[in-house]
Amino acid sequence: MSACIPVLETGYLTGQLQNETGKLFARLKVTGKEEYNMQVKINTRAEKADMQDLFGIFFEDLNHAADGGLYAELIQNRAFEFCSVDNPDYHGLTAWEKIEKGGKTELRVEKEHGLFPENPHYLVMEILEEGEDTGVCNHGFHPGIFYEKGACYNFSCYARKERGDCDRLVISLRSRTGDIYTSQAIDITDKWEKYQLTFRAPFGDRQGRLAVTAKGSGCVELDFVSLFPAHTYKNRKNGLRRDLVQLLEEMHPKFLRFPGGCLVHGGSLHAGDRDSLYRWKNTIGPVENRPSCRNNWGYNQTMGLGYYEYFLLCEDLGAKPVPVLPGGYNPHTHEAAVGDELKEYIQDALDLIEFANGDAESYWGGRRAAMGHPEPFHMEYIGIGNEEVGEPFFERYPLFHRALREKYPEIKIIGTSGPFAAGKEYDRGWQSAREVGADLVDEHYYQAPEWFIANHHRYDAFPENGPKVFLGEYASQDNTWFHALAEASYMVGMQNAAHAVKMACYAPLFCHVHYENWRPDMIWLDNCTAVPSPSYHVQKLFMNHHGDVVLAQEISEKGPSVMMSRYPDSLPGDIVLEANESRVAFENIVITEEDTEKQHTCRGTVLSPERSREKITSVDSRNYTIRLRARELSGKKGFTISFGQQDEKNRVFWRLGGWANEDSIIGEDINGRNSCLVQRTRSVEAGRNYDLEIRVRGRRVETYVDGAAEQETEVRPVTAEPVYITSSRERESGDIIVKMVNVLPRKEKVQICLEGEENSRFTGHIYRIEGYHRDDRNTFEHPDLVRPDAAEAEFDSPVFEVDIKPESLCILRLHCRQNPVLPGLYADPDMLKYQDTYYLYPTTDGFANWSGTQFHAFSSRDMREWKDEGVILDAASEQVPWSAGSAWAPAVFERDGLFTFISARKGRMEYPVSVLR
Ligand code: AHR
């Protein structure tokens, strides 16, 4: 009698989709013949790594993601605070227009006796001549205010009559051409007062206007003219756009990183400046007291969506807040805070934790309580810095770290490794994080989809100890299905490396289609619609089916990987010189082909914006060296040397003086899509000679400047594995989740063996995104073109097959069908009681033929909690020589102190005896 549980090979099942009662329903059937071409054994009992908060989202107010986007305010420039610091085209009357039907009015913005020192400007409306319709209107965000027919809108404003008899104002919702849909009047006095009205829009309009017109003549002053849909998310005042939050809510993100991005570290160091770095203390309290500020992306941020609202949003989404604070350093201007100013930044970080987590008796906790949230927000993470490179940051970061660690040892602190996936600055970020003992390092990179495929195993070898990876920004440069698929494959890689990668979020999240700063983006929007991209659906599926622990898996019988690079082990092709918006002299050009010892000596050339590129030769060798001298004659963006260039869209390059003349980059273009392989800081000085050398050895590249090593990298060939697979278990439900991504244009049949679940059957769901063309994308015309399908599924055995379509994503969520008393599959129980313990003897393993082979016994004292005593009879083994391997209906009885176990078997009844003591 054996008490160990042998692993059973019970056959295999194949997936089929059937349409039953209108619903997609998958029943996986035993086929009896091997058809799969890939097998994954998932050890459901072997927990490989804790996933913690792996997949979350990142919100940055760029692309008008907040004002004009998530923040539901419909009026643009409500407080007349816009100015040319925000954007050279802005002024106090941006988005406002004069209305003069019959009468005559003059508009100007003043600040002499405004109500709010933080937002001192207000509108002065001189009604010189009373007319039929005289005043001002706001056109909201482009192309106008969206009025939904029948919906309610909350209007508010501060107003006063400065002089004259114009003490009645008429507020109206109207069309672009001035047709009034609905209006209400307010009577004003010569004191600033707040007025509030609610409107119901009788008509729908996508280009609506809000107007404030005056009766009589004289002078009226207006401030904080605001219009919100009443129906914001959770109907909150100063609320968020319902449809957009809904999309986030449906993702179930583990965390929300906010408020940026470059948003956080761009601008002046002084909190009181119009263009200051993002200072959270300026974003809480009544909106009137939040100083309007230049947004780093070239517009104005009202801060109506501020830190309190961000924390609330996190709470609503069930996402952990991950605020990112500036590190007292602007990496664009290289200005760094010192002395008391630096202390202020550190204090801001400490105070934020008190604001989020402190009790209501603490100063900042009290401020939060006064805003209506006495309970803490349970903040666990804080990020210091976003992509900062440069020593001034790394001198300051440890000061933040130590102060935070000392006061709040429970908070996880996130450092930063800059905006590139590899290189000197990246290494510097990691080094700093390791030195101080940061919990996580925030990595950012935006690469070609092929890069994500080529680097699938990037994190496998990352150490388990020390700071963990937080991939705080990544995306694959467009919003087609293929891009989303490449991201999905990379997410599988991250999940499989969950020992090292603890958090990851796609970036950016939102883009208002009329205010694009950056693409790709996860969700596109206009004033009334939202278009989730294929990447949104991928992210959502990964978050909806997240899991808590990664399970150990073994993939076998995997077909060959597919090489997508034309030259898997070399970089042959043209050598091309290029001047980047500058005039550059290239000379002493010698190319040596090491394999043949052939030398090409090329004539020098001068390139300029008028003729910026020149091919100098072509190389066919595996190993070659390019030497040349370059001198920038004028301009400020340096030069580029391309090599291994197959065509305009496929090449490797070394660019010096890239971006704002700050970078030296070895990069790669694949199909016109660019990836930075390695980066370091370098500015090109005009007039200086640079002796440059590029050594190409196979796909290894080394660069030298004036004889000194600059960079090295491996240009990884793009190899796609047949199906990328990762599996996890969700602790609460016990569900097993298997994520499979096929980036190849061929179908695969994957056999899945759930080891450790031999006696289980599963119900569950299959979620797929499949059948799309690589270039398919969601648009405003076809917002749902690419989206997942879901089907219910049954898995009658822990071994089954799944068809994986070409270029598709498939996620299985398997829920173990458990006996209400005992886990697993049991039937025909018999029972006896012996010395205060109940013993249960069921037929115990799979019922495909209504019989079992292994028989367990279970014990319980209370008939609630049952303990599996193990296999007491293995009918398939030699243990019972007469057994044909199939038995059922066990029974037990006691005779003279001996317990006898009996079961039925095909053909005849047998009396195998098991002695229980
Ligand atoms: O996500 C867009 C921008 O990319 C972020 O602001 C910045 O952190 C990164 O460079």
Side-chain angles (χ1 to χ4, degrees):
M1 300 275 166
S2 161
C4 75
I5 309 167
V7 174
L8 287 183
E9 296 291 338
T10 53
Y12 34 82
L13 305 167
T14 185
Q16 279 184 9
L17 286 175
Q18 303 164 353
N19 210 325
E20 275 182 12
T21 58
K23 264 181 166 179
L24 272 181
F25 185 84
R27 179 178 289 281
L28 295 144
K29 291 184 177 151
V30 178
T31 58
K33 81 179 170 27
E34 296 194 3
E35 281 176 354
Y36 60 88
N37 43 17
M38 187 167 166
Q39 186 191 47
V40 55
K41 287 186 181 160
I42 298 166
N43 187 338
T44 61
R45 312 286 147 158
E47 300 189 349
K48 212 176 106 186
D50 213 303
M51 288 170 68
Q52 278 167 226
D53 302 312
L54 186 52
F55 297 123
I57 54 176
F58 164 50
F59 180 91
E60 173 165 18
D61 184 9
L62 85 167
N63 304 317
H64 275 262
D67 291 298
L70 188 61
Y71 183 51
E73 173 65 87
L74 297 168
I75 303 301
Q76 186 173 195
N77 191 16
R78 65 182 172 193
F80 307 95
E81 293 296 329
F82 280 25
C83 73
S84 58
V85 178
D86 307 335
N87 180 304
D89 295 336
Y90 281 8
H91 48 79
L93 287 169
T94 294
W96 292 95
E97 227 177 282
K98 199 191 267 194
I99 301 173
E100 280 179 326
K101 197 169 170 190
K104 192 160 173 41
T105 182
E106 258 177 32
L107 305 177
R108 63 179 183 277
V109 170
E110 289 184 356
K111 61 171 189 176
E112 279 61 44
H113 47 259
L115 262 181
F116 308 106
E118 298 85 353
N119 291 294
H121 297 91
Y122 52 88
L123 174 74
V124 179
M125 193 161 81
E126 295 271 4
I127 312 292
L128 303 172
E129 269 172 44
E130 185 178 0
E132 191 188 322
D133 196 23
T134 313
V136 68
C137 79
N138 187 278
H139 54 66
F141 295 89
H142 193 76
I145 299 171
F146 168 52
Y147 292 128
E148 192 183 342
K149 186 177 174 191
C152 286
Y153 294 87
N154 294 329
F155 165 86
S156 63
C157 77
Y158 291 84
R160 74 176 199 119
K161 182 184 72 174
E162 207 265 335
R163 109 183 86 82
D165 65 353
C166 46
D167 22 36
R168 170 158 285 200
L169 298 180
V170 178
I171 320 299
S172 56
L173 313 193
R174 52 175 71 194
S175 75
R176 188 169 56 93
T177 49
D179 302 325
I180 296 175
Y181 299 139
T182 177
S183 68
Q184 294 182 55
I186 51 173
D187 291 325
I188 58 171
T189 68
D190 54 7
K191 290 210 172 50
W192 280 114
E193 300 275 1
K194 185 171 184 178
Y195 299 90
Q196 303 187 71
L197 299 168
T198 297
F199 290 91
R200 185 179 292 278
F203 302 101
D205 192 345
R206 288 173 173 235
Q207 297 186 36
R209 303 286 188 259
L210 175 92
V212 182
T213 50
K215 296 285 171 212
S217 61
C219 180
V220 173
E221 292 172 350
L222 286 174
D223 204 357
F224 274 93
V225 181
S226 167
L227 187 72
F228 272 88
H231 210 30
T232 56
Y233 178 68
K234 298 205 171 185
N235 297 327
R236 289 209 180 104
K237 291 269 177 322
N238 194 46
L240 305 181
R241 221 174 101 174
R242 198 183 180 84
D243 59 332
L244 300 182
V245 185
Q246 187 85 31
L247 283 170
L248 303 185
E249 208 176 60
E250 286 168 10
M251 294 181 89
H252 299 295
K254 289 281 181 188
F255 63 86
L256 170 66
R257 177 178 181 248
F258 65 89
C262 292
L263 178 77
V264 168
H265 67 199
S268 136
L269 294 175
H270 318 302
D273 284 354
R274 175 66 184 210
D275 64 339
S276 77
L277 269 57
Y278 198 99
R279 306 297 289 261
W280 72 269
K281 287 177 182 167
N282 283 344
T283 74
I284 57 167
V287 290
E288 294 86 345
N289 303 124
R290 304 181 191 181
S292 194
C293 189
R294 180 196 75 116
N295 177 303
N296 184 59
W297 295 97
Y299 54 94
N300 174 278
Q301 48 192 358
T302 61
M303 301 299 190
L305 168 53
Y307 257 72
Y308 179 70
E309 289 78 20
Y310 280 120
F311 278 122
L312 269 188
L313 176 63
C314 291
E315 189 171 79
D316 292 335
L317 300 178
K320 293 184 183 170
V322 185
V324 183
L325 277 74
Y329 173 62
N330 178 334
H332 304 302
T333 60
H334 308 291
E335 286 172 291
V338 291
D340 286 349
E341 197 162 43
L342 179 59
K343 283 191 195 141
E344 213 180 278
Y345 278 92
I346 296 172
Q347 195 58 45
D348 275 4
L350 293 166
D351 291 344
L352 180 66
I353 300 173
E354 187 176 294
F355 178 70
N357 294 354
D359 57 39
E361 278 66 55
S362 65
Y363 176 75
W364 288 104
R367 293 284 303 269
R368 182 197 67 236
M371 289 171 203
H373 204 288
E375 310 77 23
F377 281 119
H378 307 292
M379 170 174 155
E380 290 178 24
Y381 298 95
I382 191 165
I384 301 298
N386 166 71
E387 295 187 352
E388 274 79 346
V389 289
E391 277 319 293
F393 176 75
F394 295 113
E395 284 157 14
R396 284 162 182 72
Y397 175 71
L399 307 176
F400 282 83
H401 181 95
R402 282 196 285 272
L404 289 164
R405 194 58 108 220
E406 198 186 324
K407 186 150 185 205
Y408 297 106
E410 72 284 7
I411 296 286
K412 297 196 184 79
I413 307 170
I414 306 167
T416 170
S417 63
F420 299 100
K424 202 166 164 227
E425 312 309 335
Y426 171 87
D427 292 341
R428 182 69 186 90
W430 270 94
Q431 180 201 335
S432 156
R434 284 197 191 99
E435 280 165 6
V436 296
D439 298 284
L440 296 123
V441 177
D442 185 10
E443 297 197 351
H444 295 178
Y445 40 82
Y446 296 89
Q447 308 282 54
E450 291 82 359
W451 183 94
F452 285 99
I453 295 169
N455 287 275
H456 181 84
H457 294 285
R458 172 183 169 97
Y459 294 116
D460 289 2
F462 267 51
E464 197 171 341
N465 301 321
K468 303 289 187 292
V469 174
F470 173 16
L471 182 51
E473 291 183 28
Y474 71 98
S476 73
Q477 299 183 346
D478 203 350
N479 283 136
T480 70
W481 167 232
F482 181 63
H483 288 79
L485 188 64
E487 289 151 14
S489 71
Y490 199 69
M491 291 171 86
V492 167
M494 287 199 275
Q495 182 173 314
N496 280 333
H499 66 279
V501 186
K502 291 296 175 198
M503 300 168 96
C505 48
Y506 180 100
L509 184 56
F510 288 119
C511 181
H512 191 299
V513 69
H514 297 297
Y515 300 100
E516 180 185 325
N517 297 116
W518 185 284
R519 66 165 62 203
D521 301 282
M522 203 202 287
I523 300 169
W524 290 79
L525 56 108
D526 61 16
N527 294 338
C528 55
T529 323
V531 179
S533 68
S535 296
Y536 168 86
H537 290 297
V538 163
Q539 296 286 331
K540 179 177 160 186
L541 281 179
F542 271 69
M543 288 174 214
N544 283 197
H545 309 289
H546 194 277
D548 296 307
V549 278
V550 182
L551 298 174
Q553 64 184 27
E554 195 187 305
I555 297 178
S556 56
E557 303 186 36
K558 187 162 78 169
S561 294
V562 173
M563 177 56 63
M564 294 163 91
S565 300
R566 220 177 297 172
Y567 300 98
D569 53 10
S570 61
L571 296 168
D574 296 347
I575 295 171
V576 179
L577 304 179
E578 189 179 341
N580 307 328
E581 297 172 41
S582 50
R583 266 187 94 231
V584 182
F586 295 95
E587 54 199 10
N588 303 352
I589 308 169
V590 181
I591 287 100
T592 312
E593 299 195 37
E594 262 76 17
D595 305 334
T596 57
E597 292 186 4
K598 194 163 126 195
Q599 265 205 355
H600 312 244
T601 305
C602 309
R603 81 182 155 75
T605 184
V606 175
L607 300 175
S608 60
E610 296 73 48
R611 196 178 70 87
S612 63
R613 284 171 177 227
E614 185 175 324
K615 172 183 161 184
I616 52 168
T617 191
S618 203
V619 176
D620 208 12
S621 293
R622 219 179 152 266
N623 303 313
Y624 56 94
T625 304
I626 306 166
R627 290 190 189 86
L628 56 82
R629 170 170 291 176
R631 188 171 66 258
E632 189 179 71
L633 304 172
S634 61
K636 44 181 180 326
K637 289 222 166 168
F639 32 83
T640 303
I641 304 156
S642 298
F643 48 103
Q645 177 158 327
Q646 300 302 315
D647 53 46
E648 292 278 300
K649 292 184 164 181
N650 292 282
R651 60 172 182 156
V652 182
F653 59 86
W654 181 21
R655 176 171 299 138
L656 288 98
W659 193 55
N661 191 16
E662 302 237 331
D663 296 330
S664 166
I665 278 175
I666 302 179
E668 188 186 19
D669 283 348
I670 303 182
N671 301 325
R673 297 183 282 246
N674 173 266
S675 302
C676 169
L677 304 180
V678 63
Q679 175 270 0
R680 59 166 286 171
T681 308
R682 174 181 286 281
S683 303
V684 170
E685 292 165 42
R688 174 179 177 316
N689 284 331
Y690 290 89
D691 285 320
L692 308 176
E693 183 175 323
I694 304 173
R695 291 184 200 159
V696 180
R697 304 290 179 265
R699 289 182 77 89
R700 181 147 200 88
V701 177
E702 291 171 13
T703 59
Y704 297 81
V705 177
D706 299 331
E710 172 95 341
Q711 279 155 320
E712 55 180 330
T713 190
E714 183 76 27
V715 185
R716 282 176 193 281
V718 185
T719 328
E721 295 170 27
V723 179
Y724 296 101
I725 304 180
T726 186
S727 31
S728 57
R729 183 190 284 281
E730 190 175 79
R731 285 209 176 97
E732 201 181 326
S733 62
D735 287 0
I736 295 164
I737 298 161
V738 187
K739 302 182 179 103
M740 290 173 279
V741 178
N742 182 6
V743 298
L744 292 170
R746 68 174 193 222
K747 66 175 191 197
E748 298 282 342
K749 200 176 275 286
V750 178
Q751 186 197 61
I752 295 177
C753 302
L754 301 175
E755 294 183 336
E757 302 290 336
E758 283 69 30
N759 294 321
S760 307
R761 285 194 300 167
F762 298 90
T763 56
H765 285 87
I766 303 185
Y767 304 88
R768 301 181 198 257
I769 310 184
E770 63 182 20
Y772 296 105
H773 188 270
R774 283 173 158 230
D775 294 333
D776 284 344
R777 63 174 75 232
N778 293 338
T779 59
F780 283 88
E781 293 71 40
H782 303 287
D784 281 336
L785 180 72
V786 180
R787 64 185 159 78
D789 270 332
E792 287 176 13
E794 270 189 18
F795 306 86
D796 287 337
S797 151
V799 182
F800 53 86
E801 282 179 15
V802 183
D803 284 324
I804 306 292
K805 294 270 165 56
E807 297 177 341
S808 72
L809 162 65
C810 173
I811 295 182
L812 305 181
R813 178 182 269 271
L814 310 171
H815 187 71
C816 195
R817 290 176 64 176
Q818 291 188 336
N819 179 294
V821 178
L822 299 168
L825 296 173
Y826 306 102
D828 313 329
D830 195 14
M831 199 159 132
L832 58 76
K833 189 173 183 205
Y834 175 71
Q835 290 181 347
D836 292 342
T837 302
Y838 299 95
Y839 290 90
L840 188 70
Y841 303 90
T843 304
T844 47
D845 92 275
F847 299 105
N849 299 307
W850 297 104
S851 67
T853 48
Q854 292 188 315
F855 292 78
H856 291 233
F858 296 86
S859 64
S860 173
R861 278 176 179 261
D862 58 5
M863 301 245 289
R864 285 177 187 279
E865 295 292 316
W866 289 91
K867 179 172 173 239
D868 186 347
E869 298 288 355
V871 176
I872 59 159
L873 172 70
D874 187 346
S877 73
E878 293 298 304
Q879 179 192 9
V880 187
W882 43 261
S883 169
S886 164
W888 67 96
V892 283
F893 61 92
E894 192 229 314
R895 191 178 58 189
D896 301 333
L898 270 191
F899 291 89
T900 299
F901 181 95
I902 178 172
S903 74
R905 67 167 293 238
K906 234 177 207 158
R908 57 187 174 144
M909 296 284 252
E910 290 291 350
Y911 297 87
V913 173
S914 162
V915 181
L916 291 177
R917 66 183 166 88

